[in-house]
Amino acid sequence: MTGSEALAHRFEEHRGHLKAVAYRMLGSLSEAEDAVQEAWLKLSRTDTSDIQNLGGWLTTVTGRVCLDMLRSRTARREEPMGDTQDTVGAFVPDPVLRPLSHIDPAEEVLQADSVGLALLVVLENLTPDERLTFVLHDMFAVPFDDIAPIVERSAAATRQLASRARRRVRGATPSNEPDLGRQKQVLDAFLAASRAGDFEALVAVLHPDVLLRADSGALVRGAAASKLVQGAKSVAEQALMFAPFTLSAELVLVNGSVGMINAPEGRIQSVMGVTIADGRITDMYILADPERLRRLEAPRA
């Protein structure tokens, strides 16, 4: 094995971890892949003789690449959902899909990509520096002394940055029912009510203040279709409008929790993740952006 082949092999041992870091940083599977590839390119051009901890080096390099990407987003001031009151904040991160029966619930928490959609939505509201510091320190235990040079702050200032991010995350992330069996019961009830056109049953399975985020991309047939909808009756009305699509819906794991996909003939047309508390749906996250859905594959048992 040549030196370059050995280095590539060592890099591959860390790829899964690096993708998990980048996914949490960016909320985009394709951008996470790009960030990991950039980390590899930087490694291949670096004299590795002085790198004592390759995993730590790659993690900080990937973090720096992601930070640059986040800062670029902010600088461009792009609003993928448009700028109307109904669509601001309707962005839904890329989901990670798995068959419902693929992973034992006890093992799911150990999976690197099981961070929930609810948390990823909250992370979107952090500044780039807050997001990097929170992800690297709170999720991957990277020391503040290693993060400080990336955000160009002292270790003490970086610690304060993480503390501020932590407060924002804890205050905004909805709690979720941890038991997959109970999650499935609620989604089964939601599907049954939708398919039956039973408005009252739909309202009963929704929290009174349920919030629906529907992300259909920037434009659909020339008009913004993404939206925020709040309240059980309003969300139930939306569910009844799209009830015919539930005929081909199936339950899957969406970022480690029970959700559903609409995938007639194996082509995903929408993905829905939810958060559940006390037997009712409190938040719904629907991705129906055709461009982003084309990159996803329907999970197979």
Side-chain angles (χ1 to χ4, degrees):
M1 183 181 294
T2 66
S4 59
E5 290 174 338
L7 185 62
H9 179 74
R10 293 177 65 196
F11 177 82
E12 288 302 320
E13 293 176 344
H14 297 282
R15 179 180 288 276
H17 167 77
L18 299 178
K19 186 175 178 180
V21 171
Y23 176 58
R24 285 163 168 78
M25 283 286 297
L26 301 168
S28 165
L29 294 170
S30 61
E31 288 184 351
E33 290 282 6
D34 291 343
V36 172
Q37 183 62 21
E38 180 64 24
W40 160 246
L41 292 175
K42 290 181 180 295
L43 177 64
S44 66
R45 297 193 294 261
T46 300
D47 180 359
T48 61
S49 59
D50 293 331
I51 300 178
Q52 298 181 352
N53 180 355
L54 182 61
W57 187 91
L58 287 169
T59 297
T60 55
V61 167
T62 301
R64 184 175 286 110
V65 170
C66 291
L67 180 61
D68 290 342
M69 295 170 74
L70 289 174
R71 286 174 172 172
S72 178
R73 283 183 190 173
T74 302
R76 292 195 304 269
R77 298 184 183 276
E78 292 181 346
E79 283 286 351
M81 297 298 100
D83 57 4
T84 66
Q85 185 176 0
D86 288 339
T87 61
V88 169
F91 174 75
V92 174
D94 288 353
V96 176
L97 306 177
R98 288 183 176 167
L100 189 58
S101 60
H102 182 63
I103 296 176
D104 184 272
E107 298 178 359
E108 176 62 21
V109 295
L110 303 177
Q111 300 302 312
D113 56 11
S114 63
V115 58
L117 287 180
L119 176 57
L120 289 173
V121 167
V122 174
L123 293 181
E124 287 290 324
N125 296 318
L126 301 181
T127 68
D129 288 12
E130 287 174 341
R131 187 165 186 169
L132 175 131
T133 305
F134 179 82
V135 168
L136 290 188
H137 181 266
D138 284 42
M139 294 185 170
F140 294 98
V142 177
F144 287 121
D145 287 343
D146 293 342
I147 301 173
I150 304 176
V151 294
E152 300 177 330
R153 286 173 166 82
S154 67
T158 303
R159 186 184 299 273
Q160 289 300 315
L161 196 66
S163 179
R164 183 164 67 245
R166 195 176 302 120
R167 288 195 299 270
R168 294 181 66 185
V169 168
R170 288 176 178 172
T173 306
S175 60
N176 192 27
E177 165 62 56
D179 186 271
L180 293 182
R182 286 196 282 268
Q183 290 178 19
K184 183 178 182 299
Q185 289 176 357
V186 174
L187 266 295
D188 282 337
F190 175 85
L191 268 179
S194 297
R195 289 167 174 167
D198 190 334
F199 181 79
E200 295 302 324
L202 275 171
V203 171
V205 80
L206 299 172
H207 187 277
D209 296 320
V210 61
L211 179 62
L212 164 66
R213 289 176 174 83
D215 180 348
S216 298
L219 294 175
V220 176
R221 296 180 181 174
S226 301
K227 64 183 69 176
L228 288 174
V229 180
Q230 188 160 21
K233 291 185 177 180
S234 297
V235 172
E237 289 171 353
Q238 292 290 315
L240 289 181
M241 287 175 57
F242 295 96
F245 295 102
T246 63
L247 297 176
S248 58
E250 59 180 296
L251 299 185
V252 297
L253 285 178
V254 179
N255 288 62
S257 296
V258 180
M260 67 180 70
I261 60 171
N262 175 35
E265 299 180 354
R267 296 182 60 183
I268 300 178
Q269 295 183 356
S270 65
V271 177
M272 185 177 83
V274 300
T275 56
I276 295 170
D278 298 325
R280 292 192 289 186
I281 297 172
T282 61
D283 293 85
M284 302 172 68
Y285 311 89
I286 297 178
L287 179 62
D289 181 345
E291 181 177 350
R292 292 165 62 198
L293 290 173
R294 276 196 293 270
R295 307 185 192 123
L296 302 178
E297 292 186 6
R300 301 183 184 279

